[in-house]
DNA sequence: ATCCGCAGGTTCAAATTTGAACTATGAACG
DNA sequence: CGTTCATAGTTCAAATTTGAACCTGCGGAT
């Protein structure tokens, strides 16, 4: 009873490209960020998320969802950033909980880090693709992501 | 002197989709594998690589390259697999070094794990995309990956 | 009021990952 | 042969990640 539909050559080509690119791109960005700014990609992600947020602050759980990370992982990394003086925790005004907020120093660090980071993102992926490819990937992988996010409703790690 | 070319909306859409899909797909596969077989995605990758190999065995360094992982990480995980009796280490015949080789038990475990794994890969990504999207992604991300692999010649972590 | 149940966060131990040192062995060369 | 080098793997401590157990405040039902 082998009902398994194995991957054909073309499907496998896509799958390995996707996996390999994901791993390598991530590593490359991590190296560049650590090298130039001492931040990890995750830490940069946290700060970028805070900076994007309309209030300049986010609740821990929102952060965890947005960055797709476990709550305890976030607690740890926000702790690191707090030690470094880049982020501050404070009780949340508009609802129970705690928000993380960029300090002035944190905002400055992010602004210093951003140009190099964006340049690297362009170098390793954005500028390597054609506009058409970017469009297709945005649609296709956006769909993949959204389906997984939905399936996750109410899941809490 | 702000020469930074920031990402426009479309570029950002692609970038976040790529990042998000990468993270979520990886997590999903890890969960499924641990749940059904007790293996991590990395361990599955190691065993699959060994199984693919013409000799049914690979040198540690080859494995590290193929799986895009650090050497010490491999040492650790191969150690785990060895403890579990799924993999065996032995001195390499045709050149110095050590090869890892699937045991019979390991091969059996891989065969048990594969159908569920492939099904999940289809469910989360392969079957979510159209053939045309798969083709574009294979080409585009394959290029991204290969450029990074080249730039890495001689790098050893 | 009091008791549940739970959402938001944290803590803690265990597992994993990292990177830098370290060991060992084969290859090239005199 | 003996020396020197580069390569293949391992080891070790430190950093990070995980998941489960644990606090805590709060709303609603009784």
């Amino acid at each position: 009873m082998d009902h398994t539909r194995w991957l054909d050559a073309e499907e496998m080509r896509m799958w390995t490209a996707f996996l390999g690119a994901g791993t390598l791109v991530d590593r490359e960005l991590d190296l560049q960020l650590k090298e130039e700014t001492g931040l990890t990609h995750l830490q940069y992600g946290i700060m970028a998320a805070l900076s994007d947020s309309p209030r300049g602050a986010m609740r821990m759980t929102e952060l965890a969802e947005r960055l797709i990370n476990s709550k305890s992982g976030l607690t740890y990394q926000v702790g690191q950033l707090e030690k470094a003086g880049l982020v501050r925790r404070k009780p949340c005004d508009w609802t129970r909980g705690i928000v993380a907020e960029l300090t002035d120093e944190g905002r400055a660090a992010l602004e210093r880090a951003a140009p190099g980071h964006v340049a690297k993102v362009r170098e390793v992926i954005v500028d390597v693709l054609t506009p058409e490819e970017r469009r297709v990937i945005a649609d296709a992988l956006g769909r993949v992501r959204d389906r997984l996010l939905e399936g996750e409703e109410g899941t809490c790690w």
Side-chain angles (χ1 to χ4, degrees), chain A:
Chain A
M1 68 165 217
D2 185 356
H3 292 171
T4 299
R5 290 167 51 225
W6 300 101
L7 301 187
D8 66 30
E10 182 71 359
E11 290 165 339
M12 189 59 95
R13 199 167 70 87
M14 185 280 288
W15 173 233
T16 58
F18 174 76
L19 266 193
T23 311
L24 285 166
V25 165
D26 217 26
R27 208 228 314 291
E28 192 70 11
L29 291 177
D30 228 32
L31 284 179
Q32 183 269 331
L33 278 171
K34 271 186 215 153
E35 170 78 23
E36 279 185 34
T37 72
L39 297 168
T40 65
H41 195 189
L42 176 53
Q43 293 174 329
Y44 182 90
I46 292 173
M47 300 189 24
L50 295 181
S51 171
D52 276 356
S53 165
R55 304 176 192 267
M58 283 177 92
R59 296 196 350 215
M60 301 301 279
T61 302
E62 279 182 283
L63 266 179
E65 275 167 26
R66 156 106 181 228
L67 298 175
I68 312 177
N69 233 285
S70 68
K71 285 192 305 175
S72 58
L74 257 258
T75 296
Y76 176 76
Q77 283 300 348
V78 169
Q80 295 301 101
L81 290 173
E82 200 169 22
K83 261 197 242 169
L86 304 177
V87 157
R88 176 174 38 237
R89 270 176 170 91
K90 58 177 215 184
C92 184
D93 293 336
W94 68 95
T95 176
R96 42 249 148 270
I98 293 199
V99 295
E101 179 177 60
L102 281 181
T103 61
D104 290 341
E105 200 184 336
R107 195 169 295 280
L110 184 58
E111 276 164 20
R112 273 197 306 280
H117 176 64
V118 172
K120 198 69 180 179
V121 171
R122 282 200 174 280
E123 178 192 327
V124 299
I125 182 166
V126 173
D127 288 350
V128 174
L129 306 179
T130 66
E132 174 63 5
E133 287 172 335
R134 289 198 290 264
R135 190 184 63 66
V136 171
I137 291 178
D139 290 347
L141 297 189
R143 200 158 69 244
V144 167
R145 177 198 53 197
D146 294 341
R147 283 169 47 90
L148 286 171
L149 279 179
E150 276 172 37
E152 201 171 64
E153 297 299 331
T155 305
C156 197
W157 326 291

